[in-house]
Every structure is written in C-alpha cells, then in structure tokens.
Amino acid sequence: DETKLTRADRSTSLNLKSLPERGMLLLMVLVLLGGSVVPFGAASSPDAGHHNTSNHKKPFPVLSVDYEHIRFPFEISLWVLLASLMKLGFHLVPRLSSIVPESCLLIVVGLLVGGLIKLARENVPPVLNSKLFFLCLLPPIILDAGYFLPIRPFMENLGSILIFAVVGTLWNAFFIGGLLYAVCQIQPANPSDLHNLNLLSCLLFGAIISAVDPVAVLAVFEEIHINELLHILVFGESLLNDAVTVVLYHLFEEFVAAGTVTVMDGFLGVISFLVVALGGVLVGAIYGILAAFTSRFTSHTRVIEPLFVFVYSYMAYLSSEMFHLSGIMALIACGAVMRPYVEANISHKSHTTIKYFLKMWSSVSETLIFIFLGVATVDGPHSWNWTFVTVTVILCLVARVIGVVGLTFVLNKFRIVKLTTKDQFIIAYGGLRGAIAFSLGYLLTKEHFPMREMFLTAIITVIFFTVFVQGMTIKPLVELLAVKKKQEAKRSINEEIHTQFLDHLLTGIEDICGHYGHHHWKDKLNRFNKKYVKKCLIAGERSKEPQLIAFYHKMEMKQAIELVQSGGGVKLPSAVPSTVSMQNIQPKKPTPGKSEERALPQLPKGREEEIRNILRSNLQKTRQRLRSYNRHTLMADPYEDGFGDYLVKKQKMIELEKKVQLSVPLKCF
C-alpha cells in the first residue's frame, strides 16, 4: 500500500510539474494560429493600440510565397539542373550519342524550351547576352583548355597555328566581307535593303563570322577522337584567332562610327593587334607566376590551394577584358605558365580537385551555351533575307577551303611532317562557328548598324549549318577517309628518356651547325628555368629534383591509384614495374657543410645509383652490342631465358675446335 501511495504521489507531482510546460505550449499555439495576435511591426508604432481596436485585425501569415526574393538564383539553378539532366540523358542512350553530336542535341533542347516558353505566352528571357557569355560562361571552358593544354605539340606546331589563326582569319574576313558587299550591290536598278549596306559594315560582319569557335571545336573534336596533330592545329587556331577577331571587330566598329578611314588608322590597327595579343599573353603570364609563387606557402592550408588557381586565372581574364586585351589568350597563358609549378607545390588531392572541378565547370558552361543558343533563336530579333543568308553560308565554306589549301601549300615547304590532302580536308571542314560570333553580333548597336537583325539571323544560320551539317558528318567522313585517330598510350620512362635524348641531340646539332633554331632556344629556356625560376616558384627540395625522378614520381602515383581502384588484383604493367621505393629516390637533405648550389649534372653517388636502378628496372632489356662480330667473342644477354643452354653449346664448340686443330698435320701449314 505504501508503494502504491508513493507511485501515486510521484505521478501527481509529475503532472503538476508538466502543467506549466503544457500551458506554455498552448500559448505558443494560440500565438501562431490566433487571429487576434498583434503583428510584429505594431509595437513600434505609437498608435498601434488605437489602430488595432478600431479596424479589422489582419491575421498572421502562416505560409507566404515570395518568388521575387529568390528568382535570380532559383532560375540559374533550374538552368544548370536542366543542362546537367540533358547531358546525363544524352549519354544514357549510346546509339543516339554515336550518331548525333552532343552540341546539336543541346541546341534542339534549347529550341524546345524556348518554344514552350513562347507557347505559354511568356517572354523568353534574353539568356545569352554578351555580358553573361563573356564574363561567366566562356572563361571556365578556356581555362580548362589552357590548363591542360599539351604544351609540347602546341609549341612544335606554333608556327602553323599562328599562320592559320592570323593570316587565315584575315583572309576569311576580307574575302567574305568584300564579296558580300559586291553581291549586295548587284542590280542597282532594283533597289533593296541590301543596297544600304556599306563596305565597312560588310567587313565587320566578315570579321565576326570568320572566327573559328573554340567551344564548338572542343564539343565536336573530342567526340570523334581525332589525332593530336589535327586537333591541336584546329583548336589552337580557334584559341589564337580571338586576338585577330577582337582587333578587327573594334577597328571596323570605330571606322563605321567615324565614317572615314585613313592610312594612320590602318597602321594603328596593326599596332593594336600586337598590343591585344601580346598584352593578353603578358597579363596571363604575370598572374600565372603570382599563382605559382602563392602556392609555395600553402603547405599548411591545403584546403584553399585550388582556390588560388581559379581566382588568379579569372583575375587574369578580367584584367585583360578591362583593357580590351585578349582575355582568351590571357587564360591560355595563365594556365600554361602556372601548371608545372603549381602541381609541384600542391597536394595530390588538390590536383584532383582542380582537375575535376575544371572539367565539371567547363562541361556545364558548354552545355548552357548551346541550350541558351537554342533559346535565344526562338525569340530573337530576326530579319530573314534569302540572298544575304545563302551567300554568307557559301562564302564561309569557299573562303575556308581556299585559305586552308593555300596556306598549307606554303607551310608544307617548311614543315618536316607534311599535311596531307586528308588533313587539309579535316582542317577546312572543322572550322566550326559558335556562340562567340553570336555574342559579338549581339553587341552591335541599332544606331550604327540598321541591318543588325539581318546580321544576327545570318550568324545563327551559319552556326546552325556548321554545328548540325558539318558537326554531324565529320565523324563518318573521318572513318570513311581512314584518318588517323588519337591513340591513348601511357608514357613510359623509356619514351621520356628517348624524348629528352633527342632534344639534347638536336640542340647539339644546331650548335655545331651554328644555326640557332627552336631547339637551341628551348634548351636556353629550360636552363634558365632550372637555375632561377624553379628555385623561386617551387618550395622545398622539389625545385632541385631531376626531371627523370619527377616523372617517375608521377608515374608511381598514377600506378598506385590504378592499383587501389582496381582492388589490388590487377597485374601491373611490365613496362613500368614498381621495384624502386619512392622513399629511396626522394631528395635527401644536404649536409650543412656542403654548398647547396650544385649543378644538376653533378649528382651524388647515391643519387646516380638510384637513377641507375630506375633505368635498369624500367628500360627494355636488349641484346648487348659487341665491338666485333667474331663468333668467339660473341656474348649473350644474361637476362635471356636460354642463356644457360647457350653457355653449354659454346663450351662444346670450343672443345670441338681444339680437337680439329690437333688432328690437322703440321705440314699442311
């Protein structure tokens, strides 16, 4: 009985204690749901009490919608989500992706989205304006291309790329603009709108439409896996012709506004081209060096290492655009300059972050560009003229073919690796136009260019023709012509050593001949880089690390990652066996008594032995070459399988020869 009483007392005390809590909860529910609650802002008003008693009290909003507050970021997120889903769905259908290029499908999606918005009687947003394109969508694509640009093939073909980018773009601009003006002046007895076009306006249109677009080239050429030479020629041209296009655009725009052209204007235009091109490269190189120098001090804050790569690159692009320099060339120079030094300083995780974030960012931007291009086509300001549009498409094709064939004829006289007829066809056929031409046309003002709508319509038509017709047919043509494709082969130490050996050999030949070619200057640049630049931009002992050990370090890291990803059950390639521990080839700390300023050829005995171990383990084991071909002194490779049998046979041959010599009479001699 006593226990029952104590339990009852405890339950009543708990209930009494929970009464205040229940009361507070009930009060909160009344505050939230009651209609007589005073609004939040009423307490600050002196007449709040009088106002609430005289009028009907407004209920507290339990749920409200404020779309305008989050409209801008919400719509951006929707566009990015749509682009990602379209890209995902495209690759889920292998048959479709093998027939239709991704860029074509994305433009069709943009046309459908714009059509649905139009059918809903809503205003199609101007999604692809020039500011959004040049400041937000284009930089990540160019940075990804510049940061992972294959430097060696690019520099080896730099002369051909510059010829195609500069001379070829100038030829296309003046050929298209001049003949287009001539066509517009036909039949003066029948006046039309085309007669109102002057020569400068046609030349400006020719400069806009003649530039090969890097976004469209990347989207198509990466799908067909063309060989490295053709890819670097067309893609390098699309990157470097930006400077020519920017200069011609601003030059003809100023001429149209002024109305007159003098010889001094033409001379200043040439100087402007040099300033725009070289200025963009200089700005990008400066920011690249700053990014590399900053990465020296990030060993304790690894998290922010990728941030410096992105921010310095974007600052290089914005700084170039601020002075009307070539932002594309600034990004290319910044990525190419910073990469070797930044990768030597940052951790492997940061390198992976940079790689995949750049790939993701550039892929989303490329997808959005093609979708926005389709959306802008639906509700854009169009003015269709059959004559102007048809002549523009034909002149673009003719000018491209004549320019490539003529320039290649000249280049083949100086190139060691000649460009064949198939190569010329692919280069000419791969001159795709894209969103850069559309954005430049969008910048034109109605005041100085009354035919602006007709220009935009012709530009969109050329873009659609090159992307859909040429982009969809280039892959079957590559297979039909049996053009060499890219071969994905991993570099080995054997290839690295022979590449360096050939570089040194060609440099020595140039020095002996007294001809200072690009191998001589490349060797000078490498020596300056090792002696001064690497010490300033690379932290720790990595700056003194020989190139062979640095390459072996990268190869070991890739091999270890592949082994882990495969679960450890896969057999490692025999060409690069992991027989030398990376701990044994790390640079050793110098002793305090010895000088740290030592030339790279003067390696310590231990370091030389480590390099020998690497070479002995990774190079192919070939038969040793002897001084003579005497069968008595012929030696076999001890690493071969039948070496023991060979020794037995050789011993028997020696014994047989001795017996033959003893059995011959002396008088025979």
Side-chain angles (χ1 to χ4, degrees), residues 169-178 180 199-211 245 248 252 388 392 396 433 455:
T169 305
L170 290 174
W171 158 258
N172 289 337
F174 285 98
F175 182 84
I176 295 172
L180 199 58
L199 180 60
L200 290 176
S201 298
C202 291
L203 289 176
L204 175 64
F205 177 77
I208 293 174
I209 206 64
S210 62
T245 306
L248 290 178
F252 289 132
F388 189 82
T392 300
C396 285
R433 273 66 167 181
F455 284 175

Side-chain angles (χ1 to χ4, degrees), residues 393-640:
V393 174
I394 295 175
L395 287 180
C396 285
L397 294 176
V398 173
R400 180 71 181 173
V401 172
I402 295 176
V404 170
V405 172
L407 293 176
T408 307
F409 176 77
V410 178
L411 287 173
N412 279 342
K413 296 183 178 297
F414 303 96
R415 288 182 59 90
I416 298 176
V417 180
K418 311 296 183 183
L419 295 175
T420 63
T421 306
K422 295 180 181 179
D423 297 337
Q424 297 175 38
F425 175 78
I426 297 300
I427 294 173
Y429 206 74
L432 308 179
R433 273 66 167 181
I436 287 184
F438 177 80
S439 299
L440 289 175
Y442 199 85
L443 285 174
L444 299 177
T445 59
K446 186 77 174 178
E447 178 183 358
H448 297 134
F449 302 94
M451 311 296 289
R452 176 178 178 269
E453 286 79 7
M454 188 177 67
F455 284 175
L456 284 175
T457 304
I459 290 172
I460 291 176
T461 305
V462 172
I463 292 173
F464 279 27
F465 180 84
T466 56
V467 172
F468 280 89
V469 178
Q470 295 178 215
M472 291 180 65
T473 56
I474 191 171
K475 186 174 182 179
L477 287 174
V478 166
E479 296 177 353
L480 180 65
L481 297 175
V483 179
K484 185 180 178 182
K485 293 188 177 182
K486 183 189 295 185
Q487 297 178 355
E488 298 292 341
K490 297 180 181 180
R491 294 188 65 186
S492 61
I493 287 185
N494 197 351
E495 182 181 354
E496 178 71 16
I497 291 173
H498 283 82
T499 301
Q500 295 183 24
F501 167 73
L502 289 176
D503 289 341
H504 289 299
L505 180 63
L506 292 174
T507 304
I509 292 174
E510 288 182 355
D511 289 339
I512 293 173
C513 297
H515 172 71
Y516 293 155
H518 68 278
H519 289 95
H520 171 81
W521 296 112
K522 185 172 69 172
D523 183 69
K524 292 287 186 184
L525 184 61
N526 287 334
R527 290 176 182 272
F528 179 79
N529 180 38
K530 292 177 182 179
K531 191 173 182 180
Y532 300 106
V533 181
K534 290 179 69 174
K535 293 180 180 179
C536 298
L537 300 183
I538 298 180
E541 296 295 327
R542 295 288 301 272
S543 60
K544 303 176 184 178
E545 191 174 52
Q547 191 172 355
L548 176 65
I549 294 182
F551 179 76
Y552 188 76
H553 177 80
K554 292 181 181 179
M555 209 167 57
E556 284 281 307
M557 183 67 70
K558 290 181 181 179
Q559 190 173 330
I561 292 174
E562 292 176 358
L563 182 63
V564 171
Q565 290 178 349
S566 62
V570 67
K571 185 179 179 181
L572 295 177
S574 59
V576 285
S578 178
T579 56
V580 182
S581 174
M582 285 305 303
Q583 296 180 356
N584 296 331
I585 64 172
Q586 290 296 327
K588 300 176 182 178
K589 295 183 178 180
T591 57
K594 295 184 179 180
S595 174
E596 297 182 1
E597 301 293 333
R598 297 188 62 183
L600 288 179
Q602 299 176 355
L603 297 174
K605 291 291 182 77
R607 178 66 60 80
E608 290 180 0
E609 186 61 29
E610 290 163 359
I611 294 179
R612 288 195 187 96
N613 291 336
I614 294 176
L615 299 181
R616 193 178 297 116
S617 304
N618 291 275
L619 291 182
Q620 295 180 356
K621 302 175 179 61
T622 58
R623 181 181 295 274
Q624 297 180 3
R625 297 296 180 182
L626 302 177
R627 300 173 184 174
S628 63
Y629 292 95
N630 191 333
R631 61 189 179 92
H632 298 291
T633 58
L634 188 63
M635 294 179 62
D637 193 347
Y639 293 100
E640 291 183 354

Side-chain angles (χ1 to χ4, degrees), residues 97-214:
S97 60
S98 62
I99 300 174
V100 183
E102 182 181 337
S103 54
C104 300
L105 185 68
L106 295 174
I107 291 178
V108 172
V109 170
L111 292 172
L112 294 177
V113 172
L116 292 176
I117 297 176
K118 195 74 172 178
L119 289 176
R121 296 181 180 180
E122 296 287 340
N123 294 327
V124 179
V127 286
L128 193 62
N129 56 34
S130 299
K131 193 172 183 180
L132 173 66
F133 175 76
F134 283 110
L135 298 183
C136 300
L137 297 178
L138 185 61
I141 300 174
I142 304 301
L143 177 60
D144 175 53
Y147 192 81
F148 297 104
L149 183 71
I151 298 297
R152 186 179 183 88
F154 181 80
M155 296 304 297
E156 288 178 350
N157 298 279
L158 183 60
S160 302
I161 293 172
L162 286 174
I163 293 296
F164 282 124
V166 179
V167 182
T169 305
L170 290 174
W171 158 258
N172 289 337
F174 285 98
F175 182 84
I176 295 172
L179 288 184
L180 199 58
Y181 174 73
V183 171
C184 292
Q185 301 305 313
I186 296 176
Q187 293 183 351
N190 298 325
S192 64
D193 294 337
L194 297 180
H195 293 156
N196 298 326
L197 287 174
N198 54 19
L199 180 60
L200 290 176
S201 298
C202 291
L203 289 176
L204 175 64
F205 177 77
I208 293 174
I209 206 64
S210 62
V212 179
D213 188 72

Side-chain angles (χ1 to χ4, degrees), residues 67 70-86 109 113 127 364 368 371-372:
Y67 177 69
I70 52 95
R71 179 177 181 178
F72 184 68
F74 185 76
E75 290 182 354
I76 290 178
S77 302
L78 279 180
W79 281 115
V80 174
L81 181 61
L82 173 66
S84 304
L85 290 176
M86 290 300 103
V109 170
V113 172
V127 286
V364 171
L368 286 174
I371 290 180
F372 287 169

